[in-house]
Amino acid sequence: MTKKSKAGKDELVFLPLGGVGEIGMNLALYGFGSRHDRTWLAVDFGVAFAHADLPGVDLVFPDISFLEEERTNLAGIVITHAHEDHYGALIDLWPRLRVPVYATAFTANLLAAKVLGETGAQAVPVTVVRPGDRIPIGPFDVEYINVAHSIPESHALAIRTPLGTVLHTGDWKLDDTPAVGLPTDMARLKAIGEEGVLALICDSTNALRDGRSPSETEVGLELAEIVKHAKGRVAFTTFASNVGRIKSIALAAKHAGRHVVICGRALRRVIDVATELHMLDDLPPFLDEDAYSHLPRDKVVAILTGSQGEPRAALARVPIDDHPRIELVAGDTVVFSARAIPGNEMEINTIINALTARGVRVVTDRDRLVHVSGHPRRGELTEMYAWIKPTIAIPVHGEPMHLAAHADFARDLGVETVVTVKNGVVTRLAPAPVREVDEIDVGRLYKDGKVIGDIDGVGVPERRKLAFAGHVAVSIVMDRKGEQAADPDISLTGLPARDAAGRPFEETVMSAILGTIDSVPRAQRRDPDVLGEAIRRAVRGAVAEVWGKKPVCVVFVAVV
Ligand SMILES: [Zn+2]
Ligand SMILES: [Zn+2]
């Protein structure tokens, strides 16, 4: 075989850019074609949320520079469901690619509603598909298969190619009685398994948990019990996108003769979209928060955003009396009907403590069945593997510990080839043998206010230093003879007022400046760079001596 014909051989490859070995920002690529001429299909386009270690950063995206380079070879983006970790990057990053996007109506409408709510956001055109549809996208034939999850219209994708079928599960669970929508389409999954599946790319979130997840309906019954026996007001917090849960809360309120008041823009947006698609039929109207204060305490159920402890969301503002309309007092109940996303525990505990301190009863999933996960436990994974019978298993959607547990589990179930992958690694799925064929650079993009950039580009490293040790600005004016033309100006930000001996830091800084000017030879004092650097070092050294930390220091020297 000549070199040329070897290079021209078609391959099917898998390349995750995000969502493997981490929580959030799911973005998977499938590539078909010869090594140097591949057509790509992107599955999902998600974000992750930033924590305190990224001060000032709102969102984290996968780095899509590879896709920007390959833009003309990117046939489309298919979205499995409308969770932020699967579609949250579209608004900010789709304008860089402008390729076709496919999603079902709920996802498409929610995206459109989000665009309307964000100033300056561009509309993302979406081709609306229905569950069960098969769409040809380049060399890929993509079938949407309904699965149960914690948001309406979640889908697994059967991606058929001339070299075999990949079943990409997206986020899923088995639930015979979901609150909204249909159960996971087992019949279809079994039929696809019978056709023969090359690779199963599957959710690992709960791969460490045995058994099966309880049904959403069981949660609904528990919520109804809580509302029925509550004396004062009842407030629920949950993910705004969990329409099934919102419906369960509304039913619980209806049975107890209470009205539902909703607080938070995201909740109103989701409820409007779900109502339009008839997911919330036969329920009394959802009232706006203005109604809250007019209703007797035993006639109201509130749903609030902020289940992750977000400081600007409705829930966090209530216990510090910062919410204009919602008030909770001793005897009222708050139900956390959501799981804490890892990393948010501290913020959530702060709110729980603040509520508890004022006598509000707090119920979490540690106390009662007020939340279930939307992801499969081992019992459910076993069924999926039995239906699909893949030759290759690739665990995704999880941290390394979840991926490893899932991989071991798949091996125990007898899957021939189990591959653990990393973001940026190109794995050849077909033709056999399965192996790593390439690796590309992957990084992160950070959204900081209205700016998107890499970690240095958004100034995070410098910001961390500022948060740790503050900032000193110094302004010096020298004349041509090397004498000071005016007194130095200083400004200290974020330093303690005084050192342990009681001396103000301004004094320490000022004497370091004056001492340095005296010690620099007169000829060099007219060189702004030399003098500035000497002062900068002296100020940081002097502050470190009495404080133990070096602030960021900027010195301006003017020669007049
Ligand atoms: Zn997810
Ligand atoms: Zn999800």
Side-chain angles (χ1 to χ4, degrees):
M1 192 182 282
T2 66
K3 220 172 179 187
K4 194 162 178 284
S5 62
K6 235 185 202 169
K9 202 170 156 193
D10 283 342
E11 293 179 335
L12 172 62
V13 297
F14 175 62
L15 164 59
L17 296 184
V20 174
E22 64 195 355
I23 298 282
M25 46 180 154
N26 297 286
L27 205 183
L29 298 179
Y30 293 94
F32 186 86
S34 70
R35 187 160 189 170
H36 302 288
D37 184 22
R38 287 184 181 130
T39 303
W40 299 98
L41 173 75
V43 175
D44 290 333
F45 221 69
V47 293
F49 294 96
H51 295 291
D53 60 329
L54 293 168
V57 172
D58 304 310
L59 298 173
V60 189
F61 306 118
D63 176 6
I64 60 157
S65 45
F66 174 77
L67 283 179
E68 288 175 90
E69 281 162 31
E70 290 283 306
R71 206 181 69 83
T72 51
N73 299 319
L74 179 59
I77 301 171
V78 283
I79 303 295
T80 58
H81 64 292
H83 272 151
E84 294 296 327
D85 61 321
H86 294 261
Y87 93 140
L90 281 173
I91 291 182
D92 288 295
L93 299 185
W94 179 84
R96 299 182 182 197
L97 300 173
R98 304 190 158 278
V99 298
V101 176
Y102 302 84
T104 56
F106 179 76
T107 303
N109 293 7
L110 205 53
L111 181 66
K114 263 182 75 185
V115 168
L116 288 178
E118 252 179 63
T119 33
Q122 275 186 46
V124 180
V126 175
T127 304
V128 175
V129 296
R130 283 162 311 178
D133 277 359
R134 277 176 75 157
I135 320 127
I137 307 172
F140 307 95
D141 170 313
V142 180
E143 177 177 346
Y144 270 67
I145 303 147
N146 180 73
V147 292
H149 185 43
S150 45
I151 189 169
E153 296 188 0
S154 280
H155 297 88
L157 305 171
I159 303 167
R160 293 176 174 86
T161 76
L163 286 173
T165 299
V166 173
L167 198 283
H168 184 109
T169 66
D171 296 359
W172 65 282
K173 67 179 284 192
L174 296 181
D175 187 342
D176 296 334
T177 50
V180 160
L182 297 168
T184 295
D185 193 344
M186 293 184 241
R188 196 67 206 120
L189 290 168
K190 279 182 201 167
I192 290 164
E194 289 306 316
E195 280 175 30
V197 172
L198 174 69
L200 177 63
I201 315 297
C202 182
D203 183 352
S204 308
T205 314
N206 282 341
L208 289 162
R209 303 187 69 175
D210 284 318
R212 288 177 63 129
S213 344
S215 168
E216 190 60 42
T217 299
E218 291 173 63
V219 174
L221 294 172
E222 190 82 353
L223 301 185
E225 277 298 298
I226 291 170
V227 176
K228 188 172 143 194
H229 294 111
K231 299 275 184 292
R233 303 180 182 108
V234 186
F236 288 90
T237 184
T238 188
F239 285 110
S241 59
N242 196 335
V243 177
R245 194 66 50 79
I246 291 168
K247 183 177 171 187
S248 298
I249 294 167
L251 284 171
K254 187 179 168 188
H255 291 144
R258 292 179 181 237
H259 298 278
V260 178
V261 169
I262 54 168
C263 318
R265 267 193 327 155
L267 269 166
R268 176 47 79 188
R269 188 161 63 214
V270 171
I271 288 171
D272 287 348
V273 168
T275 303
E276 205 182 293
L277 295 172
H278 300 289
M279 291 171 180
L280 296 170
D281 286 354
D282 305 323
L283 288 170
F286 291 85
L287 307 177
D288 280 324
E289 56 190 46
D290 292 332
Y292 186 82
S293 59
H294 308 305
L295 292 164
R297 288 180 63 201
D298 61 353
K299 288 281 174 279
V300 62
V301 162
I303 310 178
L304 283 70
T305 50
S307 69
Q308 298 306 304
E310 304 93 317
R312 281 171 293 182
L315 182 65
R317 299 171 62 187
V318 172
I320 53 170
D321 294 322
D322 183 38
H323 199 288
R325 279 172 279 276
I326 306 300
E327 180 203 50
L328 293 166
V329 296
D332 293 337
T333 304
V334 169
V335 182
F336 278 77
S337 191
R339 127 195 118 104
I341 292 177
N344 296 340
E345 295 87 349
M346 226 168 71
E347 288 85 351
I348 295 169
N349 285 341
T350 302
I351 295 172
I352 292 179
N353 282 325
L355 289 166
T356 309
R358 49 166 63 194
V360 174
R361 176 178 161 236
V362 176
V363 182
T364 72
D365 65 351
R366 288 188 292 269
D367 313 306
R368 312 208 20 191
L369 185 63
V370 293
H371 176 68
V372 284
S373 164
H375 301 276
R377 297 187 189 176
R378 285 163 173 256
E380 293 151 87
L381 289 174
T382 304
E383 296 205 38
M384 180 65 86
Y385 278 93
W387 300 330
I388 301 300
K389 299 185 283 288
T391 311
I392 305 163
I394 303 185
V396 295
H397 203 285
E399 295 179 76
M401 59 179 172
H402 307 117
L403 303 179
H406 186 171
D408 286 343
F409 192 65
R411 276 184 206 106
D412 289 347
L413 291 172
V415 179
E416 197 178 299
T417 308
V418 179
V419 191
T420 42
V421 295
K422 280 195 302 191
N423 291 331
V425 170
V426 184
T427 303
R428 186 177 68 200
L429 303 176
V434 177
R435 67 177 183 89
E436 189 181 318
V437 287
D438 207 352
E439 182 159 5
I440 63 156
D441 286 336
V442 279
R444 305 265 167 95
L445 292 173
Y446 300 86
K447 185 172 188 191
D448 174 5
K450 293 179 177 174
V451 173
I452 295 171
D454 63 18
I455 194 83
D456 293 313
V458 297
V460 165
E462 197 76 337
R463 212 174 287 168
R464 286 188 187 128
K465 286 186 209 160
L466 292 170
F468 180 70
H471 185 265
V472 176
V474 178
S475 172
I476 309 285
V477 186
M478 304 300 289
D479 64 22
R480 298 201 178 277
K481 283 180 257 162
E483 298 290 339
Q484 285 192 71
D487 287 339
D489 247 339
I490 59 170
S491 163
L492 278 60
T493 310
L495 274 73
R498 292 166 187 278
D499 64 21
R503 189 185 189 207
F505 272 87
E506 275 91 353
E507 272 183 37
T508 307
V509 169
M510 195 57 94
S511 65
I513 295 166
L514 298 176
T516 308
I517 295 173
D518 283 345
S519 71
V520 172
R522 192 171 290 269
Q524 288 178 21
R525 287 185 209 162
R526 284 168 298 187
D527 183 334
D529 292 341
V530 172
L531 185 62
E533 181 57 15
I535 291 173
R536 195 184 72 86
R537 283 166 178 273
V539 166
R540 298 183 82 215
V543 170
E545 207 164 291
V546 292
W547 188 24
K549 293 159 79 169
K550 286 184 178 173
V552 174
C553 179
V554 176
V555 182
F556 303 96
V557 180
V559 179
V560 292

